[in-house]
Amino acid sequence: MTNKYISAKLASAIDAELMGPTVGFTIEQLMELAGLSVAQAIYKHWGPQPEKNQVIVIAGPGNNGGDGLVCARHLKLLGYKPIVYYPKRSSKVPFYGQLVQQLQYFKIPVLSMEDNWKCYLDENTTLCVVDAIFGFSFKPPSREPFSEILTELKKRDQAVPIVAVDIPSGWDVDNGPVHEKCIIPNLLVSLTAPKLCAQKTDPRLTTHYVGGRFVPESLARKYSLEEFLYPGIDHVLRL
C-alpha cells in the first residue's frame, strides 16, 4: 500500500533523511527546488502572460518562508512582478539574508512590518498571493503578526487567489482547517508529497499540484510513497 498523503511526523522523517549522510541534500538545495516548483505551478496555472502579473509573496520566518523567497526570484525570471512581504526575519540563519540580497539584486521589492503590504491585496492589480508563512512543523494557533495577516487574507481569498506553499497557513498539518475562518487556497502546491490536511481541500475550490522533484526512487520505496510521474522536465504535477 502506498502513501499518497503523509503526516507531519513522516514528512519530518523524510526531510531528515534527504538531508542526512546517505542522501546528502542541503536545506538550501531543497529550498531552491521547492521555490522553483511553486513558481512553475503558478506559471502552469495562469500562463506566461496573464492580464495582470503582480504577485505578492508573504514569507514567514522559517523554511516555508525561504521557499517563498526563492519562488519570488523565479517568478521575476518567468516574467511576473513579485513583491515580497517579509515581516519577521530570522537573523539566526544567514542563508535567509542571502536570499533577500538576491531579491534586492533582482529589484524585487521586499517589504518590512512597517510597510503597507495590504495595498497590494487588490484584485484589480494582483494575480495571486503566495502563502509561504507556515510549513509542516506549524502547530496552531498562529501568533502575531501572522494571525492578523491570515485574517486579512481570509477577507479577500474569494477575490485574490491564494497559492499555498505545502500547507495552507493556519491549518493543522494532519487535520486540516481548525475553524471556519481559515484561508481557502485557490492553489495548493504540496512539496515532496501531499500532507494529510490536503484531503480536506475541496477540488471545486482548490487546484492541487505536487512539486519538489527530488525524492530518489529508493527513498520513495522505503516510505511507501506514491510515485508521481512528472511529465518531461516539469517540477510540478497537477493531481
Side-chain angles (χ1 to χ4, degrees):
M1 181 178 178
T2 58
N3 295 312
K4 182 173 182 178
Y5 300 94
I6 62 175
S7 66
K9 183 177 180 180
L10 182 54
S12 181
I14 293 169
D15 257 21
E17 186 142 359
L18 284 169
M19 291 182 284
T22 302
V23 184
F25 277 112
T26 64
I27 185 62
E28 292 85 357
Q29 286 178 293
L30 296 180
M31 208 173 282
E32 185 68 27
L33 292 168
L36 172 62
S37 297
V38 178
Q40 192 176 86
I42 292 170
Y43 184 92
K44 289 179 75 68
H45 193 73
W46 278 287
Q49 292 181 318
E51 185 177 343
K52 48 190 175 183
N53 63 355
Q54 179 173 278
V55 177
I56 180 166
V57 177
I58 305 179
N63 293 342
N64 197 261
D67 296 342
L69 300 179
V70 172
C71 171
R73 170 164 38 83
H74 284 291
L75 286 173
K76 181 67 177 280
L77 292 169
L78 291 173
Y80 296 86
K81 294 179 180 177
I83 295 158
V84 175
Y85 180 43
Y86 195 19
K88 193 173 181 181
R89 309 183 189 190
S90 173
S91 59
K92 297 179 181 179
V93 183
F95 182 63
Y96 296 144
Q98 291 175 266
L99 291 177
V100 171
Q101 181 180 348
Q102 292 163 21
L103 296 177
Q104 293 168 339
Y105 181 81
F106 279 83
K107 295 181 171 53
I108 298 170
V110 182
L111 309 180
S112 299
M113 195 179 299
E114 298 76 20
D115 295 312
N116 180 19
W117 67 279
K118 297 177 190 176
C119 69
Y120 296 102
L121 298 178
D122 183 347
E123 61 187 286
N124 296 310
T125 56
T126 296
L127 175 69
C128 64
V129 177
V130 176
D131 160 28
I133 301 174
F134 301 129
F136 64 74
S137 60
F138 171 74
K139 301 290 184 185
S142 58
R143 297 175 177 83
E144 296 298 354
F146 301 110
S147 57
E148 180 189 1
I149 291 171
L150 292 175
T151 297
E152 292 295 330
L153 293 183
K154 180 59 182 176
K155 291 177 184 177
R156 300 167 175 84
D157 67 0
Q158 299 301 310
V160 183
I162 295 174
V163 179
V165 178
D166 203 24
I167 308 292
S169 291
W171 287 31
D172 182 275
V173 181
D174 291 341
N175 300 311
V178 295
H179 49 69
E180 69 278 0
K181 294 182 180 180
C182 283
I183 60 173
I184 303 299
N186 180 267
L187 232 67
L188 171 61
V189 185
S190 296
L191 299 172
T192 305
K195 311 310 178 286
L196 287 172
C197 66
Q199 297 178 98
K200 303 293 184 178
T201 58
D202 184 339
R204 295 170 298 180
L205 303 175
T206 303
T207 301
H208 191 186
Y209 287 85
V210 64
R213 193 176 183 176
F214 44 65
V215 179
E217 185 179 347
S218 58
L219 195 64
R221 286 198 306 269
K222 177 177 179 178
Y223 290 100
S224 300
L225 300 180
E226 180 166 317
E227 183 180 7
F228 297 109
L229 301 176
Y230 293 93
I233 61 172
D234 286 355
H235 285 255
V236 290
L237 172 68
R238 183 170 175 172
L239 300 179

